[in-house]
Amino acid sequence: MRLHVTDEGPREAPVLVLLCSLGSTVDMWAPQRRDLAADLRVITMDTRGHGGSPVPDGPYTVDELAGDVLETLDGFEVSRASFAGVSLGGAISQAVALRAPERVASLALVCTSARFGDPDPWQERAATVRAGGAGAIADAVVARWFTEDYAAAAPAVRNAMREMIAATPAEGYASCCDAIAAWDSRARLADIAAPTLVISGEQDPATPPEHGQVLADGIPGARFEVVADAAHLASYQRPEIVTPLLAEHLKGSV
Ligand SMILES: O=C(O)CC1=CCC(=O)O1
């Protein structure tokens, strides 16, 4: 499976792979891409079932999604990279680090989890989307992405993100819910060897800081940062905090 990507920055620079959250496309990394591509080759990928990537029938697993990422990098003849992932993208990043540690220079796990709660709500969400499309859940989901104050002050951003979620192919979105329902890396966190930065949004109702703490406690040597005034899409709402944290971490570990 070759994923749709954007490929920015100097060809010969160390590679950073950016991976996206459920219901988003490469546009969710817009606040970071240009800045990070000043010093790095930044390859941002649409997850299977999202954006411009293929939409095979599901269900999917996080391990399959990690395989897509590695195959796509093979296509670019990139053998080693740093990985930063938001939410589902953070789970895929963990899976890449567990499956192919020799290919991972460093990890940044943003607003993500070793286990996204009980499987039942994810299976229910998958059924809702298979029946009614991603538009059926878009308002509820975008309400978790930004703090209330930010959404009220930036309605154009909130509405554009709602449309991004609603435009996700139903089978792709639902099959990624299936992958999230089954994801549980808790017993394997100690096997992650890459230098790791964990970032949580202080007001994230989807993957609250306690989830980030589990990752940081379990991954040897991980650094943990909590971003104030941020919900699930902390990287989008607070780029002035998150981008320098990523840049500093990546500089220290490529
Ligand atoms: O969509 C949500 O509710 C939050 C989320 C969990 C995994 C992901 O990518 O987004």
Side-chain angles (χ1 to χ4, degrees):
M1 170 96 45
R2 290 282 179 88
L3 300 174
H4 170 256
V5 308
T6 58
D7 185 3
E8 297 155 297
R11 289 309 78 173
E12 304 311 321
V15 175
L16 168 64
V17 176
L18 298 177
L19 300 175
C20 302
S21 65
L22 177 66
S24 73
T25 70
V26 293
D27 291 343
M28 67 139 289
W29 281 107
Q32 279 75 38
R33 276 166 40 195
R34 197 188 53 193
D35 287 351
L36 293 174
D39 298 317
L40 298 166
R41 179 176 177 187
V42 179
I43 300 178
T44 311
M45 300 189 183
D46 280 334
T47 306
R48 178 199 294 210
H50 288 65
S53 286
V55 190
D57 287 344
Y60 312 153
T61 66
V62 171
D63 203 49
E64 285 172 335
L65 302 178
D68 295 344
V69 169
L70 291 169
E71 273 182 48
T72 302
L73 287 178
D74 290 343
F76 285 96
E77 298 185 350
V78 171
S79 58
R80 188 171 161 83
S82 294
F83 293 82
V86 172
S87 201
L88 173 59
I92 299 169
S93 301
Q94 294 170 59
V96 168
L98 288 164
R99 176 174 168 160
E102 73 287 355
R103 299 189 68 169
V104 180
S106 71
L107 279 184
L109 305 177
V110 184
C111 298
T112 189
S113 191
R115 182 173 182 265
F116 295 94
D118 290 337
D120 291 0
W122 292 105
Q123 283 153 358
E124 285 161 21
R125 199 193 296 192
T128 301
V129 170
R130 284 195 170 98
I137 48 80
D139 285 315
V141 171
V142 80
R144 291 191 283 274
W145 281 12
F146 303 112
T147 61
E148 276 181 29
D149 287 354
Y150 178 87
V157 172
R158 181 258 172 222
N159 293 340
M161 291 304 205
R162 189 225 174 262
E163 293 314 305
M164 177 194 284
I165 296 164
T168 309
E171 182 59 17
Y173 191 102
S175 297
C176 283
C177 289
D178 297 327
I180 289 168
W183 172 248
D184 187 351
S185 63
R186 289 173 297 177
R188 295 183 291 160
L189 293 177
D191 297 332
I192 294 181
T196 300
L197 168 67
V198 179
I199 298 175
S200 292
E202 189 179 36
Q203 299 175 50
D204 179 0
T207 52
E210 302 85 74
H211 288 223
Q213 190 73 62
V214 170
L215 289 167
D217 288 347
I219 298 172
R223 173 182 170 192
F224 184 38
E225 295 287 341
V226 178
V227 180
D229 289 328
H232 192 54
L233 238 58
S235 53
Y236 207 97
Q237 182 170 339
R238 302 299 314 272
E240 75 283 14
I241 305 290
V242 173
T243 308
L245 282 173
L246 293 175
E248 183 193 345
H249 176 65
L250 295 165
K251 200 180 293 177
S253 50
V254 286

